[in-house]
Amino acid sequence: MNIHQLQQEILELKKKTDTVILAHSYQAREIVEIADYTGDSYKLSVVASETNAKNVLMCGVRFMAETVKILSPKKRVFLANSGAGCPMAEQLDTELLSQLKQAEPDRTVCAYINTTAELKTLCDVCVTSSSAVKIIKNIDSDKILFIPDCNLGDWVKKNVPQKDIKLVHGGCPTHAGITAKEVRKIRELHPNALFLVHPECTPEVVALADYVGSTSGIMDFAKNSDKREFIIGTETSISEHLQYDCPDKRFFPVTKDVVCRNMKLTTLPDVYNALNGDMSVACEIVMSDELIAGARKCIDEMIRLGG
Ligand code: 13P
Ligand code: SF4
């Protein structure tokens, strides 16, 4: 079977099984093409709560599928590749967070959505990369503990200087690997290109950017810009999707090594097998009512303050 035949079968199975497919923008092109919705973490969590489909299949990483389940507990939610986690989401455990909270109980705990459901039960509000600055400005508190990404946290601190924001040491290994030296080198090769960057990159890299935003923010900026060349400071899929979407423009990844291996675990056959009920690679997200209720409060707060 070739890719197009497999995609066709997936489109039919999707209808037959009343399944909506969500794909984060770091997924491969052939997966993005068969998805009902693609986008950044914020968009995927909001569309998931609005869809009427009985089943949701997430092509992304585990915390994204958990977020869908938390917002739509009556739906059956599946992760197309059960091995796809986000290393950042697991950097901090509930014990350490409890200690941090005890040490400074007057801080509002703000979690990047890239966290486990268990950790979210201890947090007051969630943010995504696209909503972090707006939400932290809107929180009714001036003292914040921001977990677990110190790079995104640093970006927020610079944009909300009026608040006292404490960071913990953590972050995304994929984005942390992009260096300022690599950025300067590719800028020399493409001096007219704008540099668009994800706030999970280090402050040194973010300082060189012409635009800082989420995956959807970067894509929208490039599509709407009247400039023709862009250096993309995030996972390489974004350059690839943009090159398909805007054939008249040129997109250069900082390096081709900026690959999230977890996001790239999911394959088109995984999607097909999951829709066929084969759970040897996929899995269903199962969470207790107590965990869902505990984690939901901070996600509802995110939607309220970010909407
Ligand atoms: P976005 O919300 O920008 O899609 O980011 C999610 C993510 O995991 C980036 O590494
Ligand atoms: Fe997690 Fe980084 Fe992969 Fe995003 S790119 S899913 S933050 S490891």
Side-chain angles (χ1 to χ4, degrees), residues 26 61 63-64 85-89 112 114 172-175 200 235 260-263:
Y26 291 162
V61 291
F63 78 81
M64 296 178 175
C86 165
M88 169 166 27
Y112 192 19
N114 299 37
C172 165
T174 305
H175 286 85
E200 286 177 14
E235 221 269 352
C260 174
R261 66 168 288 283
N262 281 280
M263 282 283 185

Side-chain angles (χ1 to χ4, degrees), residues 16-148:
K16 206 165 108 190
T17 58
D18 193 16
T19 302
V20 84
I21 299 184
L22 306 182
H24 186 267
S25 306
Y26 291 162
Q27 294 291 298
R29 189 71 193 165
E30 64 271 20
I31 293 176
V32 163
E33 281 172 356
I34 49 84
D36 295 286
Y37 300 99
T38 57
D40 63 9
S41 310
Y42 189 75
K43 180 176 164 191
L44 293 183
S45 57
V46 174
V47 293
S49 64
E50 288 169 354
T51 166
N52 290 324
K54 261 199 339 235
N55 305 300
V56 177
L57 179 62
M58 173 60 76
C59 303
V61 291
R62 184 170 289 269
F63 78 81
M64 296 178 175
E66 284 183 353
T67 305
V68 174
K69 184 69 185 174
I70 292 164
L71 285 169
S72 308
K74 292 208 161 59
K75 292 186 179 118
R76 293 188 74 184
V77 178
F78 301 88
L79 180 60
N81 188 308
S82 62
C86 165
M88 169 166 27
E90 275 142 45
Q91 280 165 350
L92 206 68
D93 61 24
T94 49
E95 206 176 313
L96 185 55
L97 181 56
S98 301
Q99 284 169 15
L100 291 168
K101 283 176 59 154
Q102 259 169 26
E104 292 190 75
D106 56 338
R107 286 190 187 268
T108 298
V109 182
C110 180
Y112 192 19
I113 198 155
N114 299 37
T115 37
T116 60
E118 282 79 13
L119 210 62
K120 286 186 176 84
T121 63
L122 298 179
C123 300
D124 299 303
V125 60
C126 265
V127 300
T128 64
S129 56
S130 61
S131 60
V133 169
K134 180 175 180 188
I135 289 174
I136 302 248
K137 276 184 186 160
N138 285 345
I139 290 175
D140 186 20
S141 159
D142 286 339
K143 290 191 80 179
I144 313 276
L145 171 65
F146 187 87
I147 61 156

